[in-house]
């Protein structure tokens, strides 16, 4: 099992540019989460999906952020336009059990720097 | 509502000494409790969980945690610390019934083990 795969590992972009982060969850996992980690705010949940359907996007900071899950093996988080305050590490995580007994499996993250 | 607190931002311990990383939680009913570890430039990795049963839970890398319902705590422990245990540790909680599926994470505790 390759685990949760995120790409790219690092992204450096200029303010105003569009950024797309990608995630491949573990096969068979039907829950997918997007988190953002910063020193100031810690680990923040942005959005999560169940069976490819967005369930709760209340953590998405603003309309510049959007997430999709077109199929069970792929999800994207898009920022358009990007701003310097979006600089953070973005994590994708997946899990299988709806009752909450199973832990989340995290990818190694995408470190985003917006200049 | 569910919440979790990690009262220490940083814990320092000498190699070979026992270590404790504290976690307290608040839920309406019964909790599922988890500990994760994050090494530099990596995602969170699952260490151990309490679901039900024995209050002392053993996990990866020699770590264990004790569930104390009366004190609403789930402290992480290890009898003899290693320098390689230096990392960021997160406690997470989810209520066993009702509410949202989303686990709540603490802000993390940085463990530094000195040679």
């Amino acid at each position: 099992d390759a685990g949760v795969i995120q790409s790219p590992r690092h992204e450096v972009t200029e303010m105003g540019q569009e950024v797309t982060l990608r995630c491949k969850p573990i096969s068979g996992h039907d829950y997918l989460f997007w988190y953002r980690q910063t020193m100031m705010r810690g680990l923040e949940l942005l959005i999560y999906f169940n069976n490819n359907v967005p369930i709760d996007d209340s953590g998405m900071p603003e309309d510049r952020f959007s997430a999709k899950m077109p199929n069970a093996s792929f999800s994207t988080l898009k920022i358009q336009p990007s701003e310097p305050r979006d600089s953070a590490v973005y994590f994708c995580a997946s899990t299988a059990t709806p009752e909450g007994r199973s832990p989340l499996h995290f990818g190694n993250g995408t470190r985003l720097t917006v200049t | 509502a569910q919440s979790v607190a990690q009262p220490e931002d940083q814990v320092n311990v000498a190699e070979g000494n026992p270590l404790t990383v504290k976690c307290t939680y608040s839920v309406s009913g019964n909790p599922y409790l988890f500990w994760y570890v994050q090494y530099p430039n990596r995602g969170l990795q699952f260490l151990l969980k309490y679901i039900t049963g024995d209050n002392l839970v053993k996990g990866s890398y020699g770590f264990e945690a004790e569930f104390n319902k009366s004190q609403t705590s789930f402290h992480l422990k290890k009898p003899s610390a290693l320098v390689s245990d230096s990392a960021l540790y997160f406690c997470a909680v989810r209520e066993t019934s009702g509410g949202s599926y989303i686990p709540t994470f603490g802000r993390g505790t940085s463990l530094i083990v000195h040679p």
Side-chain angles (χ1 to χ4, degrees):
Chain A
D1 186 350
V4 176
I5 299 172
Q6 292 187 246
S7 63
R9 287 298 311 274
H10 302 275
E11 178 78 47
V12 180
T13 191
E14 293 183 349
M15 182 174 62
Q17 296 299 306
E18 177 179 296
V19 175
T20 299
L21 312 181
R22 297 172 175 80
C23 174
K24 176 179 170 57
I26 292 172
S27 178
H29 283 189
D30 50 5
Y31 283 81
L32 184 141
F33 302 78
W34 281 100
Y35 285 89
R36 177 171 69 177
Q37 185 178 36
T38 61
M39 289 291 291
M40 291 297 295
R41 295 186 297 272
L43 196 63
E44 301 174 276
L45 177 65
L46 301 178
I47 185 172
Y48 81 97
F49 295 82
N50 178 214
N51 291 324
N52 314 336
V53 175
I55 303 300
D56 185 346
D57 65 355
S58 59
M60 297 285 261
E62 46 197 277
D63 291 346
R64 298 184 296 105
F65 285 69
S66 63
K68 294 182 179 180
M69 193 165 185
N71 58 61
S73 59
F74 184 65
S75 177
T76 60
L77 178 68
K78 186 175 294 186
I79 308 172
Q80 166 63 19
S82 58
E83 297 183 2
R85 59 192 168 125
D86 301 330
S87 297
V89 182
Y90 291 81
F91 289 103
C92 176
S94 69
T95 192
T97 308
E99 299 85 9
R101 293 172 176 239
S102 292
L104 273 59
H105 298 258
F106 284 78
N108 283 325
T110 296
R111 181 174 297 276
L112 174 65
T113 303
V114 183
T115 61
Chain B
Q2 59 192 31
S3 66
V4 61
Q6 295 182 242
E8 301 155 317
D9 290 336
Q10 184 171 302
V11 170
N12 291 276
V13 64
E15 186 174 32
N17 283 0
L19 69 87
T20 299
V21 183
K22 295 179 180 177
C23 171
T24 59
Y25 66 90
S26 175
V27 295
S28 301
N30 293 314
Y32 293 143
L33 292 156
F34 304 84
W35 275 103
Y36 293 81
V37 60
Q38 184 182 26
Y39 298 104
N41 301 313
R42 303 297 295 272
L44 280 68
Q45 298 175 33
F46 168 70
L47 268 182
L48 52 79
K49 66 181 178 182
Y50 171 82
I51 301 299
T52 187
D54 194 347
N55 289 344
L56 184 63
V57 178
K58 294 187 183 296
S60 306
Y61 311 121
F63 284 93
E64 59 188 27
E66 185 167 12
F67 170 62
N68 188 316
K69 189 171 184 177
S70 63
Q71 296 186 2
T72 63
S73 67
F74 190 57
H75 301 330
L76 182 70
K77 299 182 180 184
K78 187 173 182 181
S80 179
L82 299 172
V83 172
S84 57
D85 293 330
S86 299
L88 190 57
Y89 290 81
F90 290 90
C91 182
V93 66
R94 186 197 178 270
E95 296 196 39
T96 59
S97 62
S100 117
Y101 175 71
I102 307 170
T104 298
F105 283 85
R107 286 192 55 84
T109 298
S110 177
L111 173 66
I112 300 174
V113 181
H114 302 278

